[in-house]
Amino acid sequence: MLDPFQCLLYCSQHDLKKHDLILAASGSRIYSFNASSGALLSRWPSTTASHTELLYKDVSLAPSTGEYSGHDIQQEEDEPERPEKRRKLSSAGQCSDSTSAEIVVEDGRGRNSRSKGRDPSDPAVIKLVAPSSGRHIVAVTGEDKCLRVLSIREDGSLEQISERHMPKRPCSVVLTSDESTILCADKFGDVYALPLFGKSDPGKLKTADAPEGSIREDQGTPKRPFTPAATSLTVHTKRNQQALKNQQNSSNKTAERKVLGFEHQLLLGHVSLLTDLAYVTLEGPGQSRHRSYILTADRDEHIRVSRGLPQAHIIESYCLGHTEFLSRLCVPSWDQELLISGGGDDYLLVWDWQSGTIRQKLDFKGPVDAFRRDFSANAANRGTIVESNTEGFDNEDALGKVAVSGMWTMQTLNTSEDKANGELIVSCEGIPALFVYSTTTSRSFQFRQHLGLEGNILDVTVLREEQAILYSMDNVHRPLTTNVVADSGVRPAVGSFSYSGEADTWTKAKKLQDTVEGINQCAFSQVLSEERVDSKPAALSELLYGIEHLRKRGQED
């Protein structure tokens, strides 16, 4: 059986007069399914050649320590005594660039801990985005910090046409309104603009970590040589002696400035970790002019509203009201003057983002805790096959905190355009349920219902014309846990719900039954199981879950 599908994407092909596609990412592979029947059409990379060779057009770009370098990876294969994986040492107190901000976190005692993560030569897909044309998709792989543009062929197969390695690990990717530019936000607070079909151009290299016109570190007054305070007389353990030796050898070397060999533009930056990004275009007065905005959220509870290209350096306003980290931003398609934000707080906020004012505060922890109690007491009565893990939910304090892992909107089709209504669907990390909020005539939201699932929710894709959603679940870990592997047994990888305007409620989507059964059958098939690259439990948990790691430690009562 395949690892869970951590990413789902519905790709409409109506304009091309072809069948629609469902793209699902499991680990480092992307599978293409027929959206009507669920039949498997293709997998990328294919299995006709080695995985690394197909993942990288140029084998010399395949990373050995998380960074792409110029040496041939064949040299490593010729050394049988060499360890499977080595880490490049960095200066004391610093993290190597090959380690993302996602996996350097604080443990419960306030100390930094670094996860081993996945093999950099087998990077996992962490984001999928597609333009409305349905001809291409943008896939982000995490361990190598790479943006890949793939074309969709007539038979539904995928072909990579470009790959661009970013200086830091991307955390959010969106397309501009004209779908010609990629906006890429990374964990270190920067937002870049890249052309959708850009390719490497060695003749136009720019510095990756500073805009044009900035002062280089080696310009101006020379810096005094750095001398470590510690000496061989004060350091005794073998590990500390090695760290001191590395400091003495590398502290006075001029750091090489990284360059990006493709067209790009640094738009803006945050001091804190960026967590999400949104792009909005509003009609101007008289509908004669449009103005674009870039909305960014960070770990320090801030939402910044900046102007779009080419004036992204101008800050229009801030939306301040959260007390915990932010993880998701969502702009409803039917009312782009509204913004919904969520993260580690017990609530969601609905904003008038142009003025930075809060329109509504939605309770989120209440519905989540109610579901936890219901799951703990009545798991068998929900009609789903689950292995419940109900320990520790006997009192209010044990119910735990919430972390928003996803937000999606779907405009309902039974209303007129001038009175458009829609549904807001929210997921919580490590919870086997979706929480639905519906709009009212006063442009406000109210909680409608929760939709219980067979496993922890991972991703959702909206099929607007079908008035339905397709979701992927964690079929490896126990529900309500993020690191406890379930006992042996077969559980579905995907499922679906549909919205009924007449009944004004969500139910299991009968119209997508064939699609769901086809995808699940492919996920269970022996053919795909044979090509599966087994993940270590810790690496799989790290890939599927990481939102809660954004919560700052040492501030709890």
Side-chain angles (χ1 to χ4, degrees):
M1 184 175 67
L2 284 176
D3 284 340
F5 295 123
Q6 71 268 14
C7 297
L8 280 182
L9 179 66
Y10 169 70
C11 190
S12 175
Q13 304 282 291
H14 289 168
D15 295 340
L16 304 178
K17 298 181 179 180
K18 297 187 296 184
H19 50 72
D20 297 341
L21 303 177
I22 299 293
L23 303 177
S26 174
S28 60
R29 292 176 171 83
I30 303 176
Y31 299 88
S32 175
F33 298 94
N34 186 313
S36 300
S37 63
L40 177 65
L41 301 177
S42 71
R43 61 193 70 115
W44 179 89
S46 63
T47 56
T48 56
S50 68
H51 183 69
T52 302
E53 290 177 353
L54 287 170
L55 198 59
Y56 296 91
K57 287 184 174 181
D58 184 354
V59 179
S60 64
L61 295 177
S64 59
T65 57
E67 294 290 339
Y68 54 98
S69 59
H71 79 280
D72 195 337
I73 62 173
Q74 184 63 33
Q75 296 177 2
E76 297 181 4
E77 298 175 356
D78 295 336
E79 301 177 7
E81 300 298 328
R82 188 171 182 175
E84 179 182 357
K85 184 178 179 182
R86 299 194 306 175
R87 291 191 179 276
K88 182 170 60 177
L89 296 176
S90 60
S91 301
Q94 296 179 350
C95 300
S96 67
D97 289 335
S98 61
T99 305
S100 76
E102 277 187 317
I103 60 178
V104 179
V105 298
E106 297 175 350
D107 60 18
R109 290 171 286 185
R111 301 180 302 184
N112 286 340
S113 62
R114 183 176 300 173
S115 172
K116 295 182 178 179
R118 294 175 60 92
D119 184 351
S121 64
D122 185 40
V125 178
I126 57 176
K127 298 287 182 182
L128 289 176
V129 179
S132 58
S133 64
R135 298 178 183 271
H136 303 86
I137 65 168
V138 179
V140 182
T141 49
E143 284 70 24
D144 58 354
K145 317 177 189 72
C146 187
L147 293 180
R148 307 173 189 275
V149 178
L150 297 90
S151 63
I152 302 177
R153 298 174 176 175
E154 292 189 2
D155 59 356
S157 61
L158 303 176
E159 179 184 11
Q160 180 174 304
I161 59 177
S162 70
E163 59 183 33
R164 284 165 281 184
H165 294 261
M166 304 302 295
K168 303 299 180 183
R169 179 168 176 158
C171 66
S172 183
V173 173
V174 298
L175 297 175
T176 55
S177 300
D178 59 4
E179 299 183 341
S180 63
T181 303
I182 303 173
L183 299 184
C184 175
D186 63 36
K187 287 289 182 179
F188 283 73
D190 294 330
V191 178
Y192 293 88
L194 306 90
L196 179 61
F197 301 110
K199 295 182 180 180
S200 297
D201 187 355
K204 296 182 179 180
L205 298 183
K206 298 181 180 180
T207 58
D209 51 354
E212 295 181 357
S214 62
I215 300 177
R216 293 173 56 94
E217 293 182 2
D218 54 358
Q219 293 177 346
T221 306
K223 294 184 179 180
R224 296 178 57 185
F226 169 76
T227 302
T231 67
S232 58
L233 299 178
T234 59
V235 174
H236 305 289
T237 66
K238 182 177 180 180
R239 182 176 180 180
N240 289 343
Q241 288 176 351
Q242 182 63 42
L244 175 61
K245 184 178 179 180
N246 294 334
Q247 280 189 344
Q248 293 171 338
N249 293 336
S250 63
S251 58
N252 293 322
K253 293 181 180 179
T254 302
E256 296 182 0
R257 298 182 64 83
K258 296 181 180 179
V259 294
L260 300 182
F262 49 83
E263 183 180 354
H264 69 283
Q265 181 182 0
L266 178 61
L267 299 181
L268 57 91
H270 280 231
V271 176
S272 179
L273 294 172
L274 267 179
T275 56
D276 205 7
L277 169 72
Y279 187 84
V280 183
T281 300
L282 299 179
E283 294 182 354
Q287 299 183 357
S288 59
R289 185 178 179 182
H290 297 76
R291 172 164 287 186
S292 300
Y293 300 87
I294 300 174
L295 283 59
T296 49
D298 63 32
R299 188 189 183 191
D300 288 342
E301 310 97 35
H302 303 143
I303 301 175
R304 181 195 295 183
V305 179
S306 306
R307 289 188 184 179
L309 293 168
Q311 297 179 315
H313 60 282
I314 300 178
I315 301 175
E316 288 284 340
S317 63
Y318 284 93
C319 298
L320 304 177
H322 285 276
T323 59
E324 286 285 357
F325 68 88
L326 282 156
S327 58
R328 292 293 179 267
L329 299 177
C330 184
V331 178
S333 59
W334 64 87
D335 192 347
Q336 295 197 334
E337 295 182 354
L338 298 181
L339 169 70
I340 304 103
S341 61
D345 287 308
D346 297 344
Y347 50 83
L348 310 174
L349 291 181
V350 182
W351 301 86
D352 181 347
W353 54 265
Q354 294 185 83
S355 62
T357 57
I358 299 174
R359 292 181 54 90
Q360 192 178 5
K361 186 175 182 179
L362 302 175
D363 180 28
F364 184 58
K365 189 173 187 294
V368 174
D369 285 348
F371 172 80
R372 281 169 167 158
R373 297 190 194 94
D374 178 68
F375 183 94
S376 180
N378 307 300
N381 296 331
R382 294 207 319 273
T384 57
I385 303 175
V386 296
E387 297 180 31
S388 61
N389 180 35
T390 59
E391 297 86 352
F393 298 103
D394 296 332
N395 54 67
E396 290 289 338
D397 295 335
L399 288 177
K401 296 183 178 296
V402 296
V404 175
S405 59
M407 289 195 291
W408 305 266
T409 59
M410 186 187 77
Q411 181 177 347
T412 54
L413 299 179
N414 58 347
T415 55
S416 59
E417 291 294 334
D418 58 336
K419 295 182 179 180
N421 290 328
E423 302 286 295
L424 170 66
I425 304 161
V426 188
S427 65
C428 182
E429 185 173 72
I431 300 297
L434 291 168
F435 302 88
V436 181
Y437 296 79
S438 58
T439 55
T440 64
T441 55
S442 59
R443 298 176 68 196
S444 60
F445 291 82
Q446 62 181 9
F447 178 70
R448 176 192 294 277
Q449 65 186 117
H450 69 253
L451 308 174
L453 314 178
E454 296 89 339
N456 296 338
I457 183 67
L458 296 179
D459 199 9
V460 171
T461 186
V462 177
L463 289 71
R464 182 175 179 271
E465 297 300 324
E466 301 290 339
Q467 291 287 275
I469 60 172
L470 188 72
Y471 58 86
S472 62
M473 300 170 287
D474 183 357
N475 54 4
V476 174
H477 299 92
R478 291 184 181 180
L480 289 181
T481 71
T482 60
N483 54 9
V484 179
V485 178
D487 298 334
S488 59
V490 176
R491 290 189 292 165
V494 299
S496 63
F497 284 100
S498 62
Y499 172 74
S500 173
E502 297 179 357
D504 197 26
T505 188
W506 288 82
T507 58
K508 285 290 184 179
K510 296 181 179 179
K511 62 182 73 175
L512 296 179
Q513 183 176 355
D514 292 341
T515 304
V516 171
E517 291 180 353
I519 296 177
N520 283 327
Q521 184 177 0
C522 289
F524 301 149
S525 67
Q526 184 66 24
V527 175
L528 297 188
S529 298
E530 291 176 353
E531 70 175 45
R532 170 187 174 183
V533 178
D534 291 329
S535 300
K536 297 179 181 179
L540 179 60
S541 179
E542 179 184 283
L543 171 62
L544 302 181
Y545 307 104
I547 303 298
E548 183 60 35
H549 292 164
L550 294 172
R551 195 180 302 276
K552 298 176 182 178
R553 309 298 179 183
Q555 298 182 359
E556 300 177 2
D557 296 334

